[in-house]
Amino acid sequence: MMIAFLGPQASFTQLAASQIFPHHELIPQSSILDCFVAVQNGTAEKAVVPLENSIEGTVSMTLDYLYDFENIFIETEAIMPISHQLMIHPENKDFTKIISHPQALAQTFHFRFDHYKNIATQDYSSTSAAAKLIAENPHEKWAAIANSYAAKLYGLKIIHQNIQDFEQNHTKFIVISKNKKSLRLEFPKTSEKTSLLITLPEDHAGGLHQVLSVFAWRKMNLSKIESRTMKKSLGNYFFFINVASEWHPVLSENALEELRLFGADVKFIGHYNEYMLED
C-alpha cells in the first residue's frame, strides 16, 4: 500500500507515518496539497498530514483542504511529541539566517528571541526541507530548525537541542483516504470523536447558537469548534466541529439530519480514534 506524507525525508510527518504504517511504502510529497491530490487521484491510497500543534494551533491549510476536497475522510488521528533542534553545516561555525517551517519558527520564538534576536528568519516548506537546504549549501551561513533524524540524515551539526518554547509540544497528525471506516492502531487510545464541517445557510443572529443547540439538547459533547474563512468574501465562514463520543447510529444521524433541515450544509469527514505515538 502506498502512503503519501508531507516530506521530504526526515520530516516530522514522516516520523509519524513510519510509526502508523511501519510496513508500507511511504511517498514524500512537497506540500499538504500534494498529499490530498495524491489520495484523490489514486497515486496513494492514504496520506498522513499535520492537523494541529499544541503551541501554534490548527494547520490552516489542512483544514481548508478537508473542506475543499470531496469524498476524502479522516481515518485516524495520532499525537506525537515534537522536539526541535538548531543545526548548521559542520563546515560553518556561525550563521546569519535561520530557516524552517513557519510552525517550527513559531514554536521556538522565545528561544530565538533570547539567544538570536538579531538573526533573520526565513519560512520554508518543511523542517526537513530546510535541513536538506543547509546540507546542500555549505558555503551559506545558514542554520535550520528540524529534528534529530534530519540532522543525522543530512550530516548536520546540532548546536542547540530541544529549543521548543514549551516542553509539552505535541502535533496531531491525521490519516486521510477515500475510506469512511476508521483505522485501528496498536497504540494507546486517547479519545474517540466525529469530525464535521458545517456551513450556515446565511449570516443571521443566533445562527451558530442554532447549530450548537442541536448537539446541546442531545448532550453531545463538543471537544472543538473552530471557524475558517471560506475565502469568498468577508464574513463567510465554515465551522470545524469535533463531537467527542462514540458514534450512535440513531442519535448522531438525527443530529446531522436536524442541521440539514434548517439549511446548514453538513460535511461528515470521519468518526475515528485518536492515539498517542511514541517519542
Side-chain angles (χ1 to χ4, degrees), residues 197-215:
L197 298 175
I198 298 176
T199 307
L200 302 182
E202 60 182 11
D203 185 15
H204 64 275
L208 180 57
H209 177 270
Q210 192 174 14
V211 168
L212 298 180
S213 66
V214 169
F215 301 102

Side-chain angles (χ1 to χ4, degrees), residues 186-201:
E186 297 298 323
F187 291 96
K189 176 182 171 182
T190 55
S191 69
E192 185 175 347
K193 65 186 71 173
T194 300
S195 289
L196 306 169
L197 298 175
I198 298 176
T199 307
L200 302 182

